[in-house]
Amino acid sequence: VGTLCSALCCGSSAIAAEKSPPSPSDLVKQANAPISSILQFRLQDAYVPKFIGGSGQGNTVTAALTMPFPEYRALPAPQLSLLTMPLAVTLPGDVTGIGDLHFLDIAVLDVGHDVLFGVGPTFVFPTATERATGQGKWQAGPAAAIAYGPRRWLLGVLAQNPISFGGDPTRPKVNTLLLQPFLTYQLDGGWFLRSQPQMAFDWKTGQQIVPVDVGIGRVVALGRQQVSFFVAGYWNLSRDKLEPSYGFTVGVSLLYPAFWDRWNTKSDPE
C-alpha cells in the first residue's frame, strides 16, 4: 500500500517492524505528508509581507515532531501523532511571542483499494505568551485524514475541528474547521513539487482563510542523515480583513526512518 504509508503509513503493520529501509520514493512521500509513519523533526518559517486591510508584516517560526506508534504499542491500531509548537509568532505592531501548542493523534485504518484512512482527536493548549499570538482557550475536537499515493503522486487531506471548552473567559469561544489538502508529485533525484495550503473556516464568525500555494523541494542524504527541504509561495483567495494577503514558507525536516527498528532490536530476545 503506497498511500498514507507513503503518507500516513505503509499498511497496518508496516510501522511495527519495517526491516528494509524506505525507498527514495517513500521518503519523499513521508516527508510531504502532514502526519507520517516515520519520526521527523520539522522546522518551518512562514513570512507574510502584507495583510489584507492592514499594514505591517508578519512571521511565524514553527517546530513540529511527527511520532508514529506501532500497532499494539499503545492501541490495537497504528497511531500517527503530530506535535506542533509556534516558537515565535510576529504580528503587525511589533508583537512577538510563543503561540498555542497543537497536538494531533490519528489511528490508521486500512480500508483497501490503496487508500488509508485515519481518525482521532486533536487538541489545542493555550501556551501563547502574548494575547495576540494565541486564542487563550483549551480546545479539543475530532480529526480525520485520508490519502492515496499512486506511483509518483501523493494526495489527500487532513481535517481538524478543535472546539473550545475552557480558558480565558474574556476571550471568544472557538469552533474552527482546519483543512490541509496535500498534493505531491515526485521528480527525479529526490526533487518534488508540492501544494499544501492550510485553510481555516470559523463556524462562529464566518471568517475564512483559503490560500493557494505551490512549492518545490528535495530529499537528500547528508552523510547518514536524511533531510528534506522545501520553499513555497502562497496567495490567499479570501479577502477578510487582517488576514495574510500572500506569503512565503521555507521548511527543513530531519527524517529518522529507522527509529522504531532500533527500539525493536533492543527489545528482541537474544
Side-chain angles (χ1 to χ4, degrees):
V1 177
T3 60
L4 224 44
C5 146
S6 306
L8 289 176
C9 77
C10 287
S12 61
S13 62
I15 296 179
E18 184 177 324
K19 298 303 181 181
S20 59
S23 67
S25 175
D26 283 341
L27 282 177
V28 170
K29 291 181 179 181
Q30 298 281 7
N32 286 281
I35 49 179
S36 169
S37 64
I38 65 174
L39 180 69
Q40 296 186 49
F41 176 74
R42 295 169 171 168
L43 191 65
Q44 293 188 11
D45 183 271
Y47 170 59
V48 180
K50 181 181 179 181
F51 286 83
I52 300 170
S55 59
Q57 303 175 346
N59 194 79
T60 300
V61 178
T62 303
L65 180 69
T66 68
M67 170 64 79
F69 291 95
E71 187 176 5
Y72 295 112
R73 196 169 287 266
L75 289 177
Q79 294 171 261
L80 305 177
S81 299
L82 175 64
L83 185 70
T84 305
M85 185 68 187
L87 299 177
V89 180
T90 301
L91 299 173
D94 293 328
V95 177
T96 300
I98 295 173
D100 289 338
L101 177 69
H102 292 241
F103 178 72
L104 166 70
D105 187 70
I106 292 287
V108 180
L109 308 173
D110 187 349
V111 298
H113 303 289
D114 289 338
V115 175
L116 286 182
F117 177 71
V119 294
T122 183
F123 304 94
V124 180
F125 304 92
T127 56
T129 57
E130 300 288 340
R131 185 179 180 90
T133 60
Q135 296 174 307
K137 293 290 188 180
W138 295 88
Q139 303 171 50
I146 189 170
Y148 178 56
R151 298 186 180 181
R152 291 176 177 259
W153 292 92
L154 171 66
L155 58 156
V157 63
L158 170 65
Q160 306 175 69
N161 199 139
I163 303 169
S164 61
F165 60 89
D168 187 345
T170 67
R171 305 292 295 274
K173 295 181 180 180
V174 179
N175 185 355
T176 305
L177 173 63
L178 306 174
L179 287 181
Q180 188 173 356
F182 50 95
L183 174 67
T184 302
Y185 180 75
Q186 296 192 44
L187 306 172
D188 295 326
W191 289 94
F192 55 84
L193 301 175
R194 59 172 269 162
S195 178
Q196 205 167 117
Q198 299 190 34
M199 305 177 181
F201 303 88
D202 191 318
W203 296 114
K204 291 186 172 295
T205 66
Q207 287 190 309
Q208 58 187 7
I209 300 176
V210 187
V212 174
D213 81 336
V214 62
I216 187 171
R218 190 183 186 189
V219 173
V220 297
L222 301 180
R224 300 180 62 181
Q225 178 65 59
Q226 296 288 341
V227 179
S228 174
F229 64 88
F230 76 91
V231 58
Y234 68 89
W235 181 65
N236 190 4
L237 295 179
S238 62
R239 311 309 293 173
D240 291 334
K241 290 184 178 180
L242 302 181
E243 291 182 358
S245 178
Y246 64 94
F248 307 93
T249 303
V250 295
V252 177
S253 300
L254 303 180
L255 314 179
Y256 299 95
F259 177 80
W260 282 117
D261 289 347
R262 299 192 191 101
W263 283 88
N264 291 335
T265 299
K266 291 179 181 179
S267 62
D268 286 343
E270 295 182 1

